[in-house]
Amino acid sequence: MNIDTILDQIFLLPEQSKSVLKNLISKVEFPKDSIIIKAGKVEKTIYFIKKGIVRAFVPQENQDLTFWFGKEGAVVLPMKSYVDNNQNYENIQLLEDCILYQLKIDDLRQLFETDINIANWGRKLAEKELVKTEELFISRQFKTASQRYEELLTKQTEIIQRVQLGYIASYLGITQVSLSRIRSEI
């Protein structure tokens, strides 16, 4: 997925503003299993996924808790660092070799001061991430593991095909054995 498409799905910018923003974005590649965002650290970079898939997780005593998957077109946004320059609580791990676009948060903040269109783009980015977080919270609180799995099947079929079952089970908050049972029932 190209950077123009990713930026446009957040908020349509005038060409001049988009050009200024794109000049601060660079393409990077990381191998599978890299951790590009680390819990307990103030992160300085936002990523946009050109190619590949990632997971967000919080380390737990017995097993990591996966709470989000991102694929092509998704934004990898360390929200606490982005909003108030605080330490993150999550890790972001690459589940495939990935090609990403990166943007330094400080560079983006400077543009917020000089370009109202980019400031609005940044606000829309935060709003979309907030809605995504709210949807995840509601799903986790009010839906069964079977319902969440069916939702993955219908809304994010690629996740089922590209992510190992252990991570999917963690995302659903169940064991792999329970996931196998759910899969056999569907």
Side-chain angles (χ1 to χ4, degrees), residues 78-128:
M79 193 59 114
K80 287 181 79 172
S81 296
Y82 176 74
V83 171
D84 59 7
N85 209 32
N86 267 327
Q87 294 178 352
N88 263 13
Y89 58 85
E90 80 265 35
N91 291 303
I92 303 291
Q93 177 186 22
L94 307 185
L95 301 180
E96 298 175 346
D97 292 341
C98 287
I99 302 171
L100 308 169
Y101 299 106
Q102 68 179 6
L103 172 61
K104 299 294 181 198
I105 293 172
D106 286 342
D107 291 344
L108 184 57
R109 283 189 185 123
Q110 287 178 345
L111 289 180
F112 291 164
E113 300 295 324
T114 59
D115 187 320
I116 189 66
N117 296 305
I118 294 174
N120 283 329
W121 179 89
R123 176 184 50 81
K124 290 302 285 184
L125 172 62
E127 289 171 355
K128 287 178 181 282

Side-chain angles (χ1 to χ4, degrees), residues 28-116:
V28 293
E29 296 184 32
F30 293 102
K32 178 180 178 177
D33 292 326
S34 296
I35 305 287
I36 58 169
I37 292 180
K38 295 181 174 82
K41 185 177 172 212
V42 177
E43 291 294 336
K44 304 291 186 195
T45 307
I46 297 169
Y47 296 97
F48 308 93
I49 303 173
K50 175 178 176 56
K51 181 179 177 295
I53 195 161
V54 305
R55 76 175 179 125
F57 71 96
V58 176
Q60 299 291 301
E61 197 170 299
N62 296 332
Q63 177 183 337
D64 297 340
L65 174 63
T66 299
F67 62 89
W68 177 75
F69 295 107
K71 59 182 172 107
E72 289 82 5
V75 180
V76 179
L77 179 64
M79 193 59 114
K80 287 181 79 172
S81 296
Y82 176 74
V83 171
D84 59 7
N85 209 32
N86 267 327
Q87 294 178 352
N88 263 13
Y89 58 85
E90 80 265 35
N91 291 303
I92 303 291
Q93 177 186 22
L94 307 185
L95 301 180
E96 298 175 346
D97 292 341
C98 287
I99 302 171
L100 308 169
Y101 299 106
Q102 68 179 6
L103 172 61
K104 299 294 181 198
I105 293 172
D106 286 342
D107 291 344
L108 184 57
R109 283 189 185 123
Q110 287 178 345
L111 289 180
F112 291 164
E113 300 295 324
T114 59
D115 187 320
I116 189 66

